[in-house]
Amino acid sequence: KSFLSHTAYLPCYFANSQKTDTKDFRVFWQNGHEVVHEVYYGQEKHDNLSPKYINRTKMDMDKWTLQLLNAGIGDEGQYKCIIQHSEKGSPKVIHTSECSLHIIANYSQPEIAQLHTGKLKPNEHLNFSCSSSGGYPEPEEMTWLISHENKTHRLTYHMDVSQDPVTKLYNVTSKLSIPVPTSTLINVSCLLRLGEQLGTLVSEPLSI
C-alpha cells in the first residue's frame, strides 16, 4: 500500500543467500506487458521501459526493493520481479515474485450541513447532508449517529458516491431526515467507514 503521490516500495523478496555480486544479475520488473524497470548486470537500462515509468523508478539492490516515485492511482496493479543469473554465458531465471500495489488517498473530515432555513415547527422534519471528498479507494459506508439522553441511534442511508474522471478520487454524500425534536437536546454526527487501511472518520457533532 502507498499513499497517493508518495514513493511506493515494491519488494522482490530475494534473499541472495549465495551473496552473489549484484553485477552478475539481470533484474526485470513488469506490470502486465509493460516493462517498469531493468537492471542489466549492475547497470540500469532504459531502452525498453514503458513511457509512464521513465525517470520514476529506482532499484535498491541491497534490499531488493523497487522504488516507484510519485505513485498514482493508474499505477495500481500486479508487479512482477524476475531475476536472472548468468552461468556459463547463458542467463537463467533463478527467482520470480509478485506483489500487488494499492493506492490510498485520505478523505476530508466529514462535514454536516443543514438543508433547511427559517424556523421549524413540531411535526416537521430536519434535513441534513454529510459529505467527504478527495479520497481513495471507494469507502464502505456512511452512518449517522443521533444521540440524546445517553442513548445513541445508528442510521444508515443510501450513500451517493461520485468519482472524478481525471483524478479518480471519490466524493461521498449521505442525507438524513428526522422529526424536529420537541424538548430534548440532540447531537447529530456522521461516521465514514473506509475499510481496513484507513479506518473511520467522524464529523464534528451538531447540537440541536
Side-chain angles (χ1 to χ4, degrees):
K1 295 182 177 84
S2 172
F3 279 99
L4 181 69
S5 303
H6 285 57
T7 299
Y9 294 88
L10 306 174
C12 205
Y13 305 113
F14 181 58
N16 193 16
S17 49
Q18 307 290 320
K19 300 282 182 271
T20 309
D21 190 334
T22 54
K23 290 187 175 64
D24 294 335
F25 292 116
R26 291 165 68 177
V27 185
F28 302 90
W29 278 93
Q30 289 176 308
N31 177 4
H33 297 299
E34 295 183 306
V35 179
V36 179
H37 194 84
E38 263 187 275
V39 180
Y40 202 80
Y41 304 124
Q43 296 294 313
E44 299 206 334
K45 203 171 164 221
H46 305 286
D47 312 1
N48 304 318
L49 297 193
S50 168
K52 74 185 231 187
Y53 295 111
I54 289 171
N55 298 326
R56 290 184 58 219
T57 55
K58 273 197 300 202
M59 182 79 189
D60 183 335
M61 299 294 279
D62 295 326
K63 294 180 180 160
W64 296 95
T65 298
L66 183 73
Q67 297 175 29
L68 177 59
L69 311 179
N70 194 24
I73 290 164
D75 295 320
E76 283 195 320
Q78 286 284 119
Y79 287 79
K80 189 172 190 178
C81 168
I82 302 157
I83 299 177
Q84 296 179 337
H85 181 236
S86 270
E87 283 177 42
K88 297 175 186 162
S90 59
K92 189 172 132 209
V93 174
I94 58 163
H95 177 82
T96 62
S97 69
E98 286 193 31
C99 64
S100 192
L101 175 62
H102 299 278
I103 299 298
I104 299 165
N106 282 324
Y107 281 82
S108 63
Q109 183 182 13
E111 271 187 44
I112 297 177
Q114 298 192 44
L115 302 177
H116 50 266
T117 53
K119 237 175 150 52
L120 285 162
K121 304 177 187 71
N123 303 324
E124 290 189 339
H125 276 71
L126 290 165
N127 297 311
F128 305 98
S129 73
C130 182
S131 304
S132 175
S133 61
Y136 192 89
E138 194 172 342
E140 292 182 0
E141 187 180 67
M142 197 175 249
T143 306
W144 290 89
L145 306 176
I146 299 163
S147 309
H148 61 94
E149 295 175 342
N150 299 328
K151 288 184 192 156
T152 300
H153 298 284
R154 297 175 80 96
L155 300 168
T156 305
Y157 292 103
H158 172 71
M159 179 174 67
D160 284 315
V161 180
S162 64
Q163 188 177 24
D164 186 290
V166 178
T167 65
K168 304 296 181 199
L169 299 176
Y170 288 100
N171 301 322
V172 292
T173 303
S174 177
K175 289 186 177 158
L176 170 73
S177 183
I178 55 169
V180 172
T182 47
S183 53
T184 56
L185 177 78
I186 67 165
N187 280 320
V188 177
S189 45
C190 84
L191 196 71
L192 183 62
R193 200 150 59 82
L194 302 166
E196 287 171 26
Q197 59 263 54
L198 292 176
T200 53
L201 292 173
V202 65
S203 69
E204 293 286 337
L206 192 66
S207 297
I208 303 149

